[in-house]
Amino acid sequence: MVRKHLDSNMDTYLFKFKSYQTNNFNLKQLRNLNISCNFYVNNLIKSDILLHKDEILDMCKIKNLDIYLDKFLIWISNIWFLTITDRRYNRNFDNYVCLSAKIMEQLIGIQYRTKSKMFLLRKGIIECNYHFIKGHRCMGFRLAKKYRDLLKEGKLKFHVEKTRINTKKYSLDLSTEALRYLNEQLNNVTIDEKKAEKLIKMQEKDKSNTALDSYRFTVDAFVNKRHYQIRSKKCGRVFNHITNLPRFLRGTIKLYGKPLYNVDIKSCQPLLLTLLYNKKSKENIKYKSLVESGSFYQSICSYLKWKWNEKTKEDIKSITWKYAFGRNENKKKNKFIDDYFRDSFPELRQLIYEFKLKLFVKEERSHAKLPIFLQKMESSAIIDELVTLFSKLKIPILTIHDSFLCHKEDIEIVKQYTVQTFQKMFNLTPSIDVKSLT
């Protein structure tokens, strides 16, 4: 069904990306649209702009009008587009549309935003209500009455010429042998687009429309080989479209046309917490034995007398790391986890507290130094040691932080070298869990 003021092309776009029809419309996503007006350049709007242009141009300090023509269109098309897609405005062109100055700067450019806005206001092409409250409300804009009447009569029409998904140019870190190898592997990943779309549709009841759009953007990046790769300077972890891919979509990807298996270091972050112990003790031996067996989260579940399953595991992981990585003064919010550490591992509990307290004590986010420390240790082993080694052995591999994605025939060698590396670097013997992604 074609809506009023919309052509079928626009309806198709709105159907595919449903977040444009919600109250929580994200104006940043307008960068993915290329909207044109039926007589923008050669007819009425250009004639209005050119009428007595010298006086207005001088007033707005615009030297070259041609540079600003597309900026004017962005203002006009955004006002139109939000009016018909955001439920707050109910498709009433007499309503003022809130446009964030910061987002408009990103769409138009900081050097053009104010000048183009003032020009359109002084030419009487758009109107503003000037209802601005810092931190609470943006100024509202609408088309001038002449253009609103033309829209209602159907004489002024907008058209989406094409859609551009995720056109942002991401950085590509190729500074080390390991990163170059991971990028090479990433370019050989294929995805089953139809299967992925079916799985995404199955998430519609539980996920927001913005989340569904982000899943589709990631799938599109695999289809069109538009990848990015960043290594965090803070924690050393590598981020790319593999790490962004939600778990339910991992089974849709293949590397060199073969299905993948997930080789995961069980309880990797709790395992690395062992490094906080500065001397051997009974508790140290007890804790090390527990995390090396991979049953750390099960022990918390047993202490709390919860029933163990996958959902419980995720809940326990979440609250445990909120406790361990959060501010010391927030312990009361996770009292039962604090009770577990106090009763089972009081030395480690005190070491965690002191680590966050003494390191960078003057910084507001000093508590964040513990997860950063653990992630640095993890990435030094996974990226700097193991991926570099696998690149020399020519083993097809991908990483998701503390786990590997590899082919079935490479599982044993990946497990072997992972255990050897952790033993060599940290004197720890991790448990390895293997699961098929399909």
Side-chain angles (χ1 to χ4, degrees), residues 129-169:
N129 62 7
Y130 298 101
H131 292 172
F132 171 73
I133 302 174
K134 188 175 182 180
H136 295 279
R137 182 187 294 171
C138 303
M139 283 194 288
F141 297 88
R142 67 181 181 184
L143 295 177
K145 189 176 186 306
K146 175 167 61 175
Y147 298 105
R148 298 202 303 273
D149 292 340
L150 289 171
L151 275 169
K152 293 171 185 176
E153 293 169 8
K155 293 180 181 178
L156 177 58
K157 297 179 181 179
F158 290 86
H159 174 69
V160 179
E161 291 184 322
K162 66 175 182 177
T163 59
R164 296 175 285 126
I165 303 175
N166 204 13
T167 56
K168 180 180 178 180
K169 291 184 179 179

